[in-house]
Amino acid sequence: MSWKKNLGFFTIFTGTIVGTMHVVNRLFTYIATADDHLNKDKYKYYEWRFGRIAYHKKGKGSPILLVHDFDVCASSYEWNKIEEKLAKTNTVYSIDLLGCGCSDHPILTYTNFLYVQLITDFIKHVIGEKTDVIVSGDSSPFILMACANDETIINRIAMVNPQNLVSLAKIPTKRTKLIKHMLYIPVIGTFIYNMKVNKRTITQKFISSYYYDQNKVDEKDILAYFDASHREKTHSKYLYACQKSRYTNANILFCLGKLDNSIFIITGNSNPENMLVANQYQNHLPSIEIVGINNTKKLPHMEKPDKFIEQIRILFSDEEDI
């Protein structure tokens, strides 16, 4: 009978652990999203075939598309300090990528080509004309690939601290695929995600990686990022799992060789790695122009928005004044 008692104890113990995880998961979601820091009702929505895509449209003039960093914590909120200034002379579109912010978070395998198609369709069906693009961080490859696939949709490109080309070319392995399967498990996968993505870890990123000046880190920004990472019952974990499993990676060297657009890279000079990565791109496409913003790291457009706008005006002024 002892094995039956042990089995009963194990069942009760396991049920208690899983039940506790479920409560913790629900608590994380509630705390993160209860105050709606992203102001969901203020978005417009594009009915895309894989889900609704949230976006803002402001101003009048030649179009500029703003694409946030490819991160489960990121959203179009990233551009809130420069949108209004750009909108004085341009039609500004800022998009929440699928699985991010206030856009839908479907349960599927997220890949780089999914986002290339999203960018292409959004420009064709919503913007409706060739557009300039300002893109942040790890979303840069999607813009370059979309531009290489269809030369009619994108004009000039400004990339803010784009992703390392070496890490970007890494492909999924058995180990990374196991990570994806673990995170897709109900309750347990969500609990692991919550341990990796929470207010504490987001705050640490702002202090160590995102900003140069820790005194400029704003609690409001942290809460908006925390909110974005836990929308739709924390379904951002599916995108997170695909990123960690490298399904969203792509070797883009062939794209760089096909491009004849005006391409610029804006770096945060307080992180030496940013300049090294920018030089990687320039080595493969010498026409790329690199501009640095002092005393900034990953998010110069949030930390020094006025200086960032000044650089954009200079870089994009050869054809039209912004």
Side-chain angles (χ1 to χ4, degrees):
M1 294 294 291
S2 61
W3 69 270
K4 291 184 179 180
K5 290 182 180 179
N6 289 337
L7 180 60
F9 174 78
F10 179 76
T11 301
I12 294 172
F13 178 76
T14 302
T16 302
I17 293 297
V18 173
T20 301
M21 288 182 178
H22 177 68
V23 171
V24 171
N25 292 339
R26 294 292 297 272
L27 186 61
F28 262 88
T29 300
Y30 176 77
I31 292 173
T33 61
D35 293 328
D36 189 22
H37 296 283
L38 299 182
N39 295 316
K40 184 177 182 178
D41 292 339
K42 292 186 178 181
Y43 282 85
K44 297 178 181 292
Y45 288 90
Y46 164 47
E47 300 291 340
W48 195 44
R49 60 181 178 274
F50 290 109
R52 294 203 313 162
I53 303 301
Y55 70 97
H56 290 299
K57 178 183 177 182
K58 299 179 180 180
K60 291 183 179 180
S62 60
I64 296 179
L65 173 62
L66 306 179
V67 183
H68 62 77
D69 186 22
F70 189 52
D71 188 292
V72 292
C73 302
S75 68
S76 56
Y77 177 89
E78 183 178 324
W79 306 106
N80 77 94
K81 296 181 180 179
I82 70 167
E83 275 181 308
E84 295 295 341
K85 295 175 182 178
L86 288 175
K88 290 180 180 178
T89 50
N90 294 80
T91 304
V92 179
Y93 297 84
S94 53
I95 186 175
D96 282 5
L97 295 174
L98 191 72
C100 301
C102 293
S103 290
D104 283 351
H105 297 59
I107 302 174
L108 48 75
T109 297
Y110 294 84
T111 67
N112 46 71
F113 293 107
L114 178 73
Y115 290 98
V116 171
Q117 194 59 58
L118 169 58
I119 295 298
T120 302
D121 289 346
F122 185 84
I123 293 173
K124 288 184 174 181
H125 301 152
V126 178
I127 299 178
E129 60 181 299
K130 200 169 187 178
T131 183
D132 293 327
V133 179
I134 304 174
V135 57
S136 174
D138 293 357
S139 292
S140 300
F142 307 144
I143 302 303
L144 296 176
M145 292 170 71
C147 190
N149 287 341
D150 189 338
E151 62 183 16
T152 68
I153 60 174
I154 295 174
N155 186 15
R156 296 166 293 195
I157 302 170
M159 300 185 291
V160 185
N161 294 319
Q163 188 175 3
N164 187 306
L165 288 172
V166 176
S167 61
L168 183 60
K170 293 180 179 179
I171 63 175
T173 64
K174 290 182 179 180
R175 185 185 66 83
T176 63
K177 290 178 181 178
L178 180 60
I179 294 173
K180 176 177 179 287
H181 293 312
M182 284 291 296
L183 287 166
Y184 270 54
I185 297 173
V187 183
I188 297 174
T190 305
F191 184 80
I192 294 172
Y193 173 82
N194 285 330
M195 295 301 100
K196 294 290 186 179
V197 183
N198 53 61
K199 187 181 177 184
R200 179 185 60 81
T201 59
I202 292 169
T203 301
Q204 186 58 40
K205 282 186 177 181
F206 267 93
I207 293 173
S208 63
S209 304
Y210 292 174
Y211 275 34
Y212 167 77
D213 187 351
Q214 297 182 12
N215 295 321
K216 289 186 177 180
V217 176
D218 192 333
E219 178 75 6
K220 180 181 177 182
D221 296 339
I222 293 171
L223 291 174
Y225 272 58
F226 186 33
D227 185 344
S229 67
H230 285 77
R231 289 268 160 174
E232 293 196 15
K233 298 179 181 179
T234 318
H235 277 195
S236 294
K237 76 168 187 176
Y238 300 108
L239 171 55
Y240 181 82
C242 292
Q243 286 181 291
K244 293 300 180 182
S245 303
R246 303 175 182 170
Y247 283 93
T248 55
N249 283 2
N251 189 330
I252 62 168
L253 294 183
F254 78 96
C255 291
L256 292 175
K258 294 175 62 178
L259 300 176
D260 59 5
N261 305 65
S262 295
I263 301 176
F264 313 97
I265 296 178
I266 300 175
T267 66
N269 282 353
S270 293
N271 184 349
E273 184 180 348
N274 292 339
M275 181 56 71
L276 294 175
V277 173
N279 287 332
Q280 286 182 346
Y281 285 80
Q282 193 178 58
N283 289 338
H284 290 283
L285 188 61
S287 62
I288 290 178
E289 182 177 344
I290 302 171
V291 175
I293 298 180
N294 294 328
N295 299 327
T296 64
K297 288 188 175 180
K298 186 176 177 63
L299 300 174
H301 44 296
M302 291 184 68
E303 187 168 9
K304 287 195 171 182
D306 291 337
K307 186 66 176 178
F308 185 85
I309 287 290
E310 179 184 327
Q311 292 298 332
I312 289 296
R313 291 184 186 281
I314 294 171
L315 296 175
F316 283 6
S317 64
D318 55 335
E319 295 177 17
E320 296 179 48
D321 292 328
I322 291 182

